[in-house]
Structures are given as C-alpha cells and as structure tokens.
Amino acid sequence: MPPEPAREIGSEFHWDPATLLGTAGGGLPDWVPARRELFATGCGALRAVLRTLAPAGRLHVPSYFCMGVAEALAECLPVTFYRHLPDGRGPRWETLQARPGDVVLAQNLFGWDEQAPWNAWMTANPGIPVIEDHSHDPFSPWARNSIAAYVVASLRKTLPLPDGGLLWSPAGRELPEQDGPESSGAGQKLAAMLLKAGWLDGRPVPKESFRALQRAGEGALLGSAGPASTVTRAVLPLLDVSGIRAASGGNARQLRDALHGRTGKAEVLGFNGPAPFRVQLALPSEEDRDALLALLAAERIYAPVHWRQDRRGWWSGDHEAADLADRTLTLPVDHRCSSADVLRMVEVVTSQASRESKSGHIIRA
C-alpha cells in the first residue's frame, strides 16, 4: 500500500469541538469591555466606524497592509499611506502627516509592534482619532491597555470561527451599529469548516467541495458590516480563546528558534511580542519566494502571503513595502500544529537552504 500523505498544515480552519471549553474558562477575556459590538468582518467594523466619525479629511493607512481592505475603506474617504514595514522599526513617523479632520489607522503588525510609540503619538496629536487594528493579536497587552478612539479585530484570522469583527472604544466613543442582515458567507464558511473536519477525519469528502465553499464564503463576506453570524455569537463565549492564543504563540516561537541560523539567504522577519502571528520569511526575490511556496505546497504546507500589492492596480505607492510583500511568505504555524508539524516545516525550509548552499545556485529558503 502507498504511504499515507503527510498531514496538511495551514489553510482555512476546520470545525474542531476540542477548541470548546464551555462556560468554565471559555470565551473572550474578562477585560474585553462589555460595551462592544460584533460585526461580520473587521473591515465592516472599520467602515462603520468611519461612517460614525464622518471625517472631513483623509484616512492614513500603513503601507504594509491588506490592499483589499484599504481599497474598501477608500470608498468611505480618501486614503493615503504612511510607511510601516515588518522590519521591527515600527511606523516612520515622518511619513505620517496627519492634520485636523484626518483619521489614522494603526496596526499591531504580526503582533510584533510596541504600544508606547503610538501612545506618545496620540498624546501629541489629541485631536486626531486613531483606530487600532489588532487582528493579528486581538487579546494582547496593547489591546487590553489601549487608549485609542477605537479598537477593531478580525477574529477569524486567529480563531476557528466562520466570521467575526470585534469592535470597542477605549476612549468611550459612540459605537456604530451593524448594517443589514447576517452575511450568507458565514454559512458557507461554516459548511466548509464542517466538511473539512470530515475530510481530515478520513471521510469521503471531496476536497474541492469545501474549498469552493470557502472561496464563495469569503467572497460573500467581503467587507460585510452586518452582524456576526449566529454561529460565531454562540461559539465565541465557549471557545478556548486564551488556550488557542497561547498554543499559536508557543508554536511560532518554537519554529522561530528551530529555524535560527538555518534558513540560508532567507530572513526571519521581526518577531517580538508575547503572541506573534505565525512566522514570516523574506526571500531574496519574488521568484525565490514563489519557489518556496510551491515546495511547501508540494509537502501539503499552505503558506499565505501577507499581502500582495499590484503596482498596476490598487497599491500603497511605497516601493519598499511592495518589494517586501513580493518577497515574503508566512509559515502557517498556529494552534493546530503539533511539535512534529513544526519540525516538518523546519525540515522543508532548511532542506531548500541546504540545496542552495551546496549548488551555489539561488533557490532560496
């Protein structure tokens, strides 16, 4: 008999009852304000905040950011970009030229960034509302102690939920309400999660059946400012949020430590904070990055790219940000990974680096 294929690592979350703790220790941390709203998406929550603020000026967005979200926000008001790269240096404050009537979107990029510089900027610019995006670590010490006008987090980036955009106001500002009904995309995403769970359990579920539902669900959810789905609202209070965060951060640190000094000409980016969002590698070129993506996929390791920028379409205009986006991938280590999964990722990345070293040819890993 042929050997069983290697376990899949990464891609969309599946439905996993093991992540439920029940009312004893489950759900949002107790410090999350009771005065909060739960939207279908983080983007939808951002759009709702902008409608509430109704600013007369511009929205300042980090140049290393999801361009799809930035484009959606540009429907609310003009968008301009300031430089913020995943290089551990934080925002380049000289590029953030905000004036009265503007709004600033800050992000804790990959869960690495520090709060103190943003607090200092907000203290020096009290008339300019700041919205913090904590999607990569929604329950960090920074989020807990935020002084921003608003905090938003897309929960399905880190939690096994079909949708969910959490919003609150540390400054006590008015919270916008959701607009419209639940998105049909959440139901499609949930169906995909259930089918994927069966597929992972060895049931005769065609992979394309849940992949098609995942894609359709994401398309339907795109930018939705409606309420979070009934499923997300029911599951979230029972979910092992703290355990998932701790397991994901621990796996990321294990992977980072195991890769240290073994990635050839690739660079492990940034990596600070108590719960880093996965592990990012920067390759010498886009071709090298895509070659490693293909190698990982051949081993059933599905690494996303955060985030592509199309210089012929909607992009930041920041060549350094776009160049890094061209060369970077995210190794998909999260709470689902075992130590064996982490070591398998290390083996794939370092074997590519080893071949590069022996051949002298730039294959990159």
Side-chain angles (χ1 to χ4, degrees):
M1 294 180 61
E4 290 189 7
R7 192 170 107 99
E8 178 179 292
I9 299 175
S11 73
E12 296 275 347
F13 290 125
H14 62 282
W15 173 247
D16 182 6
T19 60
L20 300 177
L21 270 184
T23 54
L28 296 174
D30 58 11
W31 58 260
V32 175
R35 187 173 166 272
R36 59 180 184 260
E37 294 292 342
L38 198 56
F39 287 75
T41 67
C43 180
L46 285 169
R47 288 162 61 92
V49 167
L50 293 175
R51 287 196 301 269
T52 297
L53 290 172
R58 305 164 297 166
L59 175 65
H60 298 261
V61 175
S63 60
Y64 198 93
F65 191 71
C66 176
M67 290 297 109
V69 172
E71 187 172 10
L73 299 179
E75 297 174 4
C76 301
L77 75 166
V79 165
T80 186
F81 293 91
Y82 64 92
R83 178 167 290 173
H84 182 191
L85 308 176
D87 58 5
R89 294 172 55 191
R92 309 301 198 271
W93 300 111
E94 69 278 5
T95 68
L96 179 52
Q97 300 294 322
R99 52 182 182 249
D102 290 355
V103 178
V104 173
L105 178 62
Q107 68 173 333
N108 184 4
L109 178 58
F110 300 135
W112 305 340
D113 284 306
E114 297 181 0
Q115 180 179 10
W118 271 112
N119 281 4
W121 192 92
M122 286 185 277
T123 300
N125 298 272
I128 299 175
V130 172
I131 309 168
E132 292 176 355
D133 182 352
H134 286 274
S135 295
H136 286 158
D137 190 4
F139 310 112
S140 66
W142 178 0
R144 177 173 189 160
N145 297 291
S146 174
I147 62 170
Y150 292 96
V151 167
V152 66
S154 177
L155 297 181
R156 71 186 193 279
K157 303 295 190 297
T158 57
L159 299 177
L161 297 167
D163 66 344
L166 184 63
L167 171 70
W168 73 87
S169 174
R173 292 184 178 236
E174 174 189 358
L175 292 180
E177 295 182 353
Q178 298 87 354
D179 182 21
E182 294 183 18
S183 170
S184 62
Q188 292 169 305
K189 292 291 296 293
L190 176 62
M193 293 172 72
L194 291 167
L195 289 175
K196 183 173 182 179
W199 177 77
L200 290 170
D201 197 36
R203 305 300 179 185
V205 176
K207 185 174 185 179
E208 184 50 35
S209 66
F210 62 81
R211 289 291 296 130
L213 281 166
Q214 288 167 348
R215 291 190 293 267
E218 281 297 318
L221 272 172
L222 195 63
S224 172
S229 65
T230 301
V231 169
T232 289
R233 285 184 280 117
V235 168
L236 186 56
L238 308 178
L239 200 60
D240 184 9
V241 171
S242 297
I244 289 169
R245 179 177 183 266
S248 296
N251 284 336
R253 288 189 292 274
Q254 180 189 352
L255 179 58
R256 184 272 315 268
D257 292 345
L259 287 173
H260 182 69
R262 302 175 61 192
T263 57
K265 295 181 180 179
E267 177 187 1
V268 178
L269 294 179
F271 214 94
N272 297 307
F277 181 79
R278 323 303 184 229
V279 174
Q280 286 69 39
L281 282 183
L283 284 295
S285 71
E286 183 175 8
E287 293 75 18
D288 297 321
R289 190 273 309 278
D290 290 347
L292 183 54
L293 283 173
L295 178 64
L296 289 163
E299 298 294 329
R300 294 164 59 88
I301 301 169
Y302 301 109
V305 171
H306 295 96
W307 294 271
R308 301 180 191 273
Q309 297 198 23
D310 180 4
R311 293 172 178 82
R312 296 167 297 180
W314 183 269
W315 73 299
S316 67
D318 183 341
H319 288 279
E320 285 195 33
D323 175 69
L324 265 174
D326 286 343
R327 301 186 291 109
T328 301
L329 60 83
T330 294
L331 293 172
V333 59
D334 57 50
H335 71 278
R336 296 171 290 178
C337 290
S338 64
S339 292
D341 294 329
V342 173
L343 294 176
R344 184 151 68 89
M345 273 187 273
V346 171
E347 182 180 347
V348 174
V349 172
T350 57
S351 67
Q352 186 78 333
S354 176
R355 286 196 294 272
E356 170 197 324
S357 175
K358 291 177 181 178
S359 68
H361 177 65
I362 297 179
I363 304 173
R364 310 294 196 236

